[in-house]
Amino acid sequence: SAVISQKPSRDICQRGTSLTIQCQVDSQVTMMFWYRQQPGQSLTLIATANQGSEATYESGFVIDKFPISRPNLTFSTLTVSNMSPEDSSIYLCSGQLGTSVRFYNEQFFGPGTRLTVL
Amino acid sequence: GIQVEQSPPDLILQEGANSTLRCNFSDSVNNLQWFHQNPWGQLINLFYIPSGTKQNGRLSATTVATERYSLLYISSSQTTDSGVYFCAVTNLRRDNYGQNFVFGPGTRLSVLP
């Protein structure tokens, strides 16, 4: 298994500002992902954080709004830019174990970052 | 992309009762996981079960990949079982580049004392 931590656990931000969320995994993982969970909803994948290259974004999510970094195999950041109240959600990071990107393996999730935008 | 359905959407149980949650998916999958999201928002891994049957204490799960469904059984439910149960599946994208990892809408379970 993998233990994943996120910082901050929660934040209240003003419209128009940006927030960077950090995700740390206690072991090297093949893949890392960022998800959004809007109030009362299921989880939606934002992007795959690729180590050493640009993230792969899902339809409806763009790099200018959600820039992502992954400098090594155990750490990633997600920035929510130019925030509006519609960005109020829980943002979750996950890591996937496995030695090959084509052998999809179990995902483990961080505790999430609860973001409120006023 | 792949579609995931879960039923029932809501479930209220008396403590000690048993229940079955269902997950249907529209395409073949490489992986399937069941999660429990507790009232504090933490996602807890229950089962990694792309096929077959697994048991862990009062919980068990069965995935019949050829028929595109999975079941989660909860026996002798406890108030701490309350929360939302998600099924999530992974399959290859059509272009064979990358993967889809799709969550179902969840089943909200309330266990009453």
Side-chain angles (χ1 to χ4, degrees):
Chain A
S1 67
V3 177
I4 300 178
S5 59
Q6 286 185 234
K7 289 194 297 187
S9 58
R10 59 178 61 235
D11 208 341
I12 301 173
C13 300
Q14 295 297 319
R15 179 196 297 264
T17 62
S18 298
L19 175 71
T20 295
I21 303 168
Q22 298 180 5
C23 176
Q24 180 74 54
V25 189
D26 70 340
S27 56
Q28 292 186 352
V29 291
T30 304
M31 304 185 77
M32 294 180 73
F33 304 92
W34 286 97
Y35 291 81
R36 181 175 73 182
Q37 186 177 25
Q38 295 179 302
Q41 303 296 313
S42 184
L43 280 76
T44 300
L45 182 63
I46 297 172
T48 302
N50 299 310
Q51 194 253 331
S53 64
E54 191 172 285
T56 304
Y57 290 84
E58 298 299 304
S59 176
F61 298 96
V62 295
I63 187 172
D64 290 345
K65 177 67 176 177
F66 298 102
I68 288 171
S69 77
R70 189 180 173 193
N72 56 52
L73 291 175
T74 63
F75 185 78
S76 179
T77 66
L78 167 75
T79 299
V80 186
S81 303
N82 189 25
M83 289 184 285
S84 67
E86 292 72 34
D87 294 320
S88 297
S89 295
I90 299 174
Y91 292 86
L92 297 105
C93 162
S94 77
Q96 177 175 291
L97 302 177
T99 57
S100 167
V101 297
R102 292 185 66 83
F103 290 91
Y104 310 115
N105 213 314
E106 188 170 3
Q107 284 197 26
F108 295 85
F109 281 80
T113 295
R114 191 178 297 269
L115 172 62
T116 301
V117 184
L118 304 178
Chain B
I2 190 168
Q3 306 297 315
V4 181
E5 300 175 347
Q6 289 186 244
S7 59
D10 296 281
L11 184 59
I12 299 175
L13 297 176
Q14 207 67 41
E15 197 169 27
N18 303 327
S19 63
T20 301
L21 282 57
R22 187 177 180 101
C23 172
N24 292 331
F25 40 95
S26 62
D27 202 350
S28 58
V29 297
N30 300 92
N31 297 331
L32 187 147
Q33 289 185 241
W34 283 97
F35 296 92
H36 173 214
Q37 189 169 42
N38 65 22
W40 296 270
Q42 174 72 56
L43 272 173
I44 300 165
N45 289 40
L46 296 178
F47 294 102
Y48 169 71
I49 185 167
S51 63
T53 297
K54 290 185 178 180
Q55 180 155 10
N56 184 3
R58 297 182 295 104
L59 303 182
S60 63
T62 295
T63 297
V64 184
T66 54
E67 297 187 21
R68 299 181 183 173
Y69 74 88
S70 183
L71 302 174
L72 177 69
Y73 306 95
I74 304 174
S75 64
S76 303
S77 58
Q78 301 176 357
T79 56
T80 52
D81 295 331
S82 297
V84 183
Y85 289 80
F86 289 107
C87 162
V89 302
T90 303
N91 70 348
L92 270 177
R93 296 188 198 268
R94 292 285 179 202
D95 57 7
N96 286 336
Y97 178 76
Q99 59 180 328
N100 296 304
F101 197 75
V102 179
F103 274 75
T107 292
R108 184 172 299 275
L109 174 65
S110 299
V111 181
L112 306 179

